[in-house]
Amino acid sequence: MLIRLLRTYLGPYKKPIGLLVLLQLLQTSATLYLPNLNADIIDNGVVKGDAGYILALGGLMIGASLVQVLCNVGAVYFGARTAAALGRDVRAAVFDRVQSFSARELGRFGAPTLITRTTNDVQQVQMLVLMAFTLMVSAPIMCVGGIVMALGLDVKLSGVLLAVVPVLGIAVSLIVMKTRPLFRLMQERLDTVNRVLREQITGNRVIRAFVRDAYEKERFRDANTELTDVSLSTGRLLALMFPTVMTVVNVSSIAVVWFGAQRIDGGAMEIGALTAFLAYLLQIVMAVMMATFMFMMVPRAEVCAERIEEVLGTESSVVPPVEPVRELRRHGHLELRGADFCYPGAEASVLRSVDLVARPGETTAVIGSTGSGKSTLLGLVPRLFDATGGEVLVNGEDVRRIDPVLLARTVGMVPQKPYLFSGTVATNLRYGRPGASDAELWQALEVAQAREFVELLDGGLNAPIAQGGTNVSGGQRQRLAIARTLVQRPEIYLFDDSFSALDYATDAALRAALARETAEATVVIVAQRVSTIRDADRIVVLDEGQVVGVGRHHELMEDNETYREIVLSQLTEAEAA
């Protein structure tokens, strides 16, 4: 998964990567050349007392060092830029894919893990790429080059390397194999911590209302402790890396000095050559240590890449049309024909054979007990998810064939749980139509019965709104969400229990103003409150996902037992009449 991810997203950066490899090759070559020069200075300059020779080769060493430094700076520059670009592109790809998800895919993954995969997981892969470009590219060149240069100095002494490199490779491989499953578990535990923290932040009022602070602290402590335990287990294994490497390095250095001293004593080797050999041994070991450092990061990056690919490889159940309809001939007409919806793996359908017609200039209401599928029914129209059977038609065209942008302009929905974005009142209202004027915003606020409280806010339209609208009340949030949809000016308005947080007086005033504002539009209202929908032109009664009655209030009161039970649970017989 990691290789496939890198191959896909590093493809556009072949030129900077090629230049980076060239700079690393030059830098490593200069590094490998320096011990040879040093040996030559010792054997032919220091031993013979030739100061001119020492100065000449010393100047050459300075030049090689400058090349090494400049190439290293250039390689790090291009490596950092490429790694940052990779992180940006992968984050954008994950974000775009998540944006295409329907409610079904979002529910399957969950917000905490999607946030972790978009941020922490991508960062782990980005860090691996950065380390690979700055360390790993030069490591094999230095290792192979060091072995070749060491063989050139003394073949017999190079036999030490035959024992060093395999031992290091086996030790590192064993540790990496042990850490890989722990890294996967670590990312899953991180998801759990994010989920618990998110729940505690968003549910802070509920926690305090039920005085469950101690319980939530314990729950977070448990999740945090589980993550800590896995991190410690991983850390203990990784802590073996450097001691193992350094033990092998020190033993091999002792062996080189021991056997090298014997060869110098026998006249088979010069002192400078032994010094250079030790330098090459150090370079080889440093290359192995750099590779070791990389291997410490690879398992976690692999796990993160798998999690990222899982998101990127998930296709949305709401697929954009191949040849979208970009123009609708009719205006404001909504129809459901035998619509079914069933969640994957569910035993029963949420909606079964639902027929519904809503026309311009009319208000159609949908009512039913909790769990009867009212919100699901509305969600089929803007394609929050697609019907698993039957058809959903907007202006005579199946919504699955309509261009998504056109569908968004045609259908405006106020969700059951209104959400406001961080910004200002104006930026939230202009979310559906960025070009709306201030006058249009105030008009929408007036219809939504929100003008009065917005005028009292410090800044009016420019008053700040916190993420989720947490700095305004539930009723104010609902009214701002309604105003946002009014600014959009769609042909079809969908209100999903959007008046539940309003008092009766505000509800009545809002419905009266909406009736005037949406006189030529199609309005579909889902509500639990009978008073909100009793004057609708058509009331659709849902029971366990099926339509069990259609008609006006007085008609349904006479011949529909389900509707009558709902009404009498809220009103007296006299009030209902």
Side-chain angles (χ1 to χ4, degrees), residues 175-189:
I175 294 172
V176 168
M177 287 172 61
K178 292 284 187 180
T179 56
R180 195 176 188 283
L182 290 175
F183 276 125
R184 172 174 289 282
L185 189 57
M186 185 188 297
Q187 293 304 112
E188 292 172 358
R189 296 280 170 84

Side-chain angles (χ1 to χ4, degrees), residues 57-232:
L57 286 188
L60 194 57
M61 287 183 74
I62 292 173
S65 299
L66 286 173
V67 170
Q68 177 190 15
V69 170
L70 292 174
C71 290
N72 193 36
V73 169
V76 170
Y77 172 77
F78 285 110
R81 282 182 62 89
T82 306
L86 169 83
R88 177 198 62 202
D89 295 346
V90 175
R91 275 192 299 272
V94 174
F95 177 80
D96 290 342
R97 179 51 57 96
V98 172
Q99 287 294 98
S100 73
F101 284 170
S102 69
R104 182 186 297 182
E105 287 76 42
L106 291 173
R108 172 190 154 195
F109 281 102
T113 186
L114 288 174
I115 292 171
T116 305
R117 294 177 197 224
T118 309
T119 53
N120 185 271
D121 287 7
V122 174
Q123 186 179 17
Q124 295 300 325
V125 175
Q126 181 179 330
M127 285 300 298
L128 176 73
V129 172
L130 177 61
M131 292 297 103
F133 285 154
T134 53
L135 298 178
M136 198 60 188
V137 171
S138 62
I141 302 173
M142 186 176 291
C143 186
V144 174
I147 291 171
V148 171
M149 297 297 283
L151 285 169
L153 289 171
D154 194 293
V155 176
K156 290 185 177 181
L157 195 58
S158 299
V160 176
L161 301 177
L162 296 176
V164 174
V165 176
V167 169
L168 282 176
I170 293 170
V172 170
S173 298
L174 289 173
I175 294 172
V176 168
M177 287 172 61
K178 292 284 187 180
T179 56
R180 195 176 188 283
L182 290 175
F183 276 125
R184 172 174 289 282
L185 189 57
M186 185 188 297
Q187 293 304 112
E188 292 172 358
R189 296 280 170 84
L190 185 61
D191 284 345
T192 304
V193 169
N194 284 341
R195 176 175 56 78
V196 173
L197 186 61
R198 183 185 177 91
E199 287 176 353
Q200 291 175 348
I201 291 173
T202 55
N204 183 263
R205 292 183 180 180
V206 178
I207 294 168
R208 292 190 177 182
F210 287 91
V211 196
R212 300 290 284 173
D213 303 68
Y215 169 76
E216 291 299 330
K217 284 180 182 178
E218 186 64 29
R219 197 159 72 98
F220 182 80
R221 187 183 299 113
D222 290 343
N224 199 21
T225 301
E226 288 177 352
L227 176 60
T228 304
D229 291 343
V230 176
S231 301
L232 287 174

Side-chain angles (χ1 to χ4, degrees), residues 3-69:
I3 299 299
R4 186 169 69 183
L5 184 72
L6 296 181
R7 188 187 297 122
T8 302
Y9 290 96
L10 287 178
Y13 305 103
K14 291 179 180 177
K15 287 185 178 179
I17 291 173
L19 185 57
L20 181 149
V21 172
L22 178 62
L23 290 171
Q24 289 283 31
L25 180 62
L26 292 173
Q27 182 260 135
T28 308
S29 299
T31 304
L32 290 169
Y33 187 44
L34 287 172
N36 236 345
L37 289 174
N38 189 43
D40 202 4
I41 287 176
I42 293 172
D43 293 338
N44 299 315
V46 176
V47 173
K48 295 179 181 179
D50 189 343
Y53 192 81
I54 294 172
L55 289 173
L57 286 188
L60 194 57
M61 287 183 74
I62 292 173
S65 299
L66 286 173
V67 170
Q68 177 190 15
V69 170

